[in-house]
Amino acid sequence: MVYPRHAKHRVKGVQIHRPFVYGSTATPFDPSQPRPSGIPAEHTHRWTVFIRPLTPDQDLTHWLKKVQFKLHETYANSSRMIESPGPFEVTETGWGEFEVQLKLFFVPEANEKSQTLWHGLKLHPFGPDAERQRLERATIVSQNYEEVLFTEPVEAFFEVLTSNPSMMGGRGSKGAKGAKQSSLAMSRRQGTERTAEVPVKDSKENPYSQEKEMAEVARLREAYKKVEAMIKQEKGILAEKEKKREELGKESEG
Ligand code: SLL
């Protein structure tokens, strides 16, 4: 049976997330990668700012229509629109770091407003490895894992999101109460939900994995315990001081 897909009907109780990576890479000009002729002498780096799938089998174009990269106003045509199918990236040369605004526009079926992200373009080494990277004139990578969350997507978009066979997997839409969607019903019957998965283990190309996520959760739990212990201790000290203050108050009354 085929249900008509309505553009405005939302699939109740469903949340679908789609992972992606955003960030930048930057390489300094040097004798092995000289500044091409025509590039201003003050430009020190070539850089790329991007939005990419987490793994090569994930296809952002199911949900991503275009990305507007807003560069620093020192750049000509500082607002760059990159349309599907991408790659959703801008490569430039320059001398300075700045905040890039990335505005994500979704496919029309999504019936969703655009979402904005910011990325601090990194040209110079940072973090514990900075000295070695400086010496090696390494490519500087600064990137983040992110997920776009579609809450109660409209039926047509739900179909688009869930009917891509390369995305069968474990994590994904939750809840799904009372929806009479065909693919939702099917995925329930199969005990699976079609989704974009975070790989179990990370790799050289993709540092984001379920294992890393679990380690992060464990770290946060530990930190939470520590903070709770500190709060308890501080509360004890406070109670003691309150008691003393009361005693002093009574003494001065008496
Ligand atoms: C800084 N606040 O002073 C930052 C601004 C701007 C970087 C950095 C321009 C290249 C061009 C360029 O590299 N701008 O003019 O073509 O560090």
Side-chain angles (χ1 to χ4, degrees):
M1 176 156 190
V2 177
Y3 293 97
R5 302 283 163 262
H6 197 280
K8 289 269 152 64
H9 287 173
R10 293 192 168 269
V11 186
K12 291 269 178 279
V14 168
Q15 264 191 356
I16 293 187
H17 59 82
R18 285 290 173 261
F20 64 92
V21 177
Y22 71 101
S24 59
T25 58
T27 319
F29 293 127
D30 67 13
S32 74
Q33 201 209 218
R35 181 187 309 110
S37 60
I39 302 290
E42 66 271 23
H43 287 199
T44 53
H45 290 74
R46 178 182 301 282
W47 52 257
T48 300
V49 56
F50 58 82
I51 291 191
R52 286 179 189 156
L54 193 59
T55 57
D57 60 318
Q58 290 174 357
D59 184 355
L60 304 183
T61 65
H62 293 293
W63 52 270
L64 191 58
K65 171 75 177 21
K66 55 186 183 181
V67 180
Q68 184 188 48
F69 294 84
K70 270 211 183 131
L71 311 180
H72 193 264
E73 63 240 14
T74 44
Y75 283 91
N77 312 315
S78 60
S79 174
R80 311 281 174 91
M81 190 67 96
I82 307 297
E83 302 268 349
S84 182
F88 300 101
E89 58 184 49
V90 170
T91 296
E92 265 292 354
T93 63
W95 49 263
E97 299 182 336
F98 58 92
E99 293 281 317
V100 184
Q101 190 196 73
L102 303 98
K103 201 166 172 187
L104 281 63
F105 294 87
F106 303 111
V107 294
E109 306 91 287
N111 203 8
E112 296 273 355
K113 286 198 206 95
S114 62
Q115 284 184 26
T116 300
L117 288 172
W118 290 87
H119 174 69
L121 174 67
K122 287 258 177 265
L123 302 185
H124 307 293
F126 60 98
D129 227 14
E131 203 40 52
R132 183 188 62 77
Q133 290 185 321
R134 205 186 317 278
L135 288 171
E136 291 176 6
R137 305 183 72 73
T139 294
I140 301 307
V141 181
S142 168
Q143 59 178 16
N144 291 290
Y145 175 89
E146 187 54 276
E147 287 178 357
V148 61
L149 191 65
F150 299 110
T151 301
E152 305 201 333
V154 295
E155 289 178 353
F157 186 42
F158 178 82
E159 279 297 313
V160 170
L161 286 171
T162 54
S163 56
N164 171 24
S166 77
M167 290 184 172
M168 297 289 282
R171 289 163 47 121
S173 49
K174 300 164 190 137
K177 244 184 274 144
K180 35 182 197 300
Q181 285 291 313
S182 56
S183 48
L184 185 58
M186 189 182 75
S187 57
R188 273 178 174 165
R189 270 200 305 277
Q190 294 174 343
T192 62
E193 304 217 2
R194 294 171 184 175
T195 183
E197 244 190 315
V198 177
V200 175
K201 286 182 185 298
D202 47 74
S203 62
K204 203 163 164 260
E205 297 75 41
N206 170 37
Y208 308 103
S209 65
Q210 291 178 39
E211 272 184 5
K212 279 246 180 84
E213 215 172 56
M214 294 314 291
E216 182 73 9
V217 168
R219 259 199 304 279
L220 288 171
R221 287 219 176 98
E222 275 311 301
Y224 187 79
K225 266 193 233 157
K226 252 183 221 163
V227 169
E228 282 208 314
M230 283 163 80
I231 290 173
K232 206 168 150 195
Q233 195 185 4
E234 290 296 324
K235 273 189 178 155
I237 294 170
L238 186 67
E240 204 119 292
K241 286 193 170 158
E242 290 279 351
K243 211 169 115 194
K244 233 178 219 158
R245 191 170 62 120
E246 246 166 57
E247 282 168 10
L248 286 172
K250 274 188 203 137
E251 272 172 30
S252 61
E253 273 168 32

